Amino acid sequence: MKRAFVSILLAATIFLPLSAFAQNSQMDKYMIGKVVEVFDASDSEGDRFQEVTVEILRGEEKGGLAYVNHGLKSTLLESEILHIGDKVMLLKTMSGPTPETAVPVYYVSDYYRIPSLLWTLGFFCLLVFAFSGKKGLKSLVGLAFSIV
């Protein structure tokens, strides 16, 4: 009896926090887009923000346009300023008091970095091969299988 109680308590400790803090992934969607228009502005306090038009390149709304108030809720750093042609990750979320009256709201989540990350990974693999040869490549394959 005591063992069953401890098992239930352990399972509740592990799995309850996961469900309590889970986000509603059915309403939030990520998409890849390209900035096609930028209008720089500032609010009454002088904080800079941008009104950005983004063409959606991948995702369920491919080919559509999204209008984003980038930096309106937080101060933009110089590295966060968007320019025409930048590829970005868009987050589409539904905002409203009820699901029936919710309207889509778009946010720029981050720059789209996957191509540069793949180049970095390729360069790393090349360095591993240059310094340790076939043995190093075998270790990278083992590392890849352990991650999957």
Side-chain angles (χ1 to χ4, degrees):
M1 182 71 177
K2 184 177 180 182
R3 188 175 185 174
F5 177 73
V6 170
S7 298
I8 291 171
L9 185 63
L10 181 64
T13 305
I14 293 172
F15 295 112
L16 266 178
L18 295 176
S19 63
F21 296 111
Q23 295 180 358
N24 190 352
S25 62
Q26 295 172 347
M27 295 181 75
D28 293 347
K29 304 287 183 198
Y30 282 94
M31 297 169 266
I32 299 169
K34 181 179 177 182
V35 176
V36 293
E37 187 177 45
V38 176
F39 176 71
D40 288 321
S42 59
D43 61 11
S44 60
E45 297 173 6
D47 291 331
R48 182 178 184 182
F49 71 94
Q50 295 178 306
E51 293 177 2
V52 181
T53 304
V54 179
E55 178 186 3
I56 299 171
L57 301 176
R58 285 191 228 157
E60 62 185 28
E61 297 179 27
K62 181 179 178 179
L65 295 176
Y67 302 97
V68 181
N69 288 321
H70 181 56
L72 194 57
K73 294 186 177 185
S74 63
T75 304
L76 286 177
L77 300 174
E78 194 62 35
S79 62
E80 297 173 324
I81 302 295
L82 297 176
H83 305 284
I84 293 175
D86 287 346
K87 286 191 176 179
V88 294
M89 294 293 298
L90 282 177
L91 170 64
K92 175 188 173 186
T93 186
M94 301 303 282
S95 178
T98 64
E100 294 81 24
T101 61
V103 295
V105 178
Y106 296 91
Y107 299 98
V108 173
S109 173
D110 203 353
Y111 289 102
Y112 181 63
R113 302 174 194 261
I114 291 182
S116 56
L117 288 174
L118 290 176
W119 278 107
T120 304
L121 177 66
F123 183 68
F124 175 74
C125 292
L126 187 65
L127 283 177
V128 167
F129 179 70
F131 284 105
S132 58
K134 204 174 183 181
K135 199 177 235 185
L137 289 180
K138 286 181 183 179
S139 68
L140 287 177
V141 170
L143 177 65
F145 278 113
S146 70
I147 291 173
V148 175

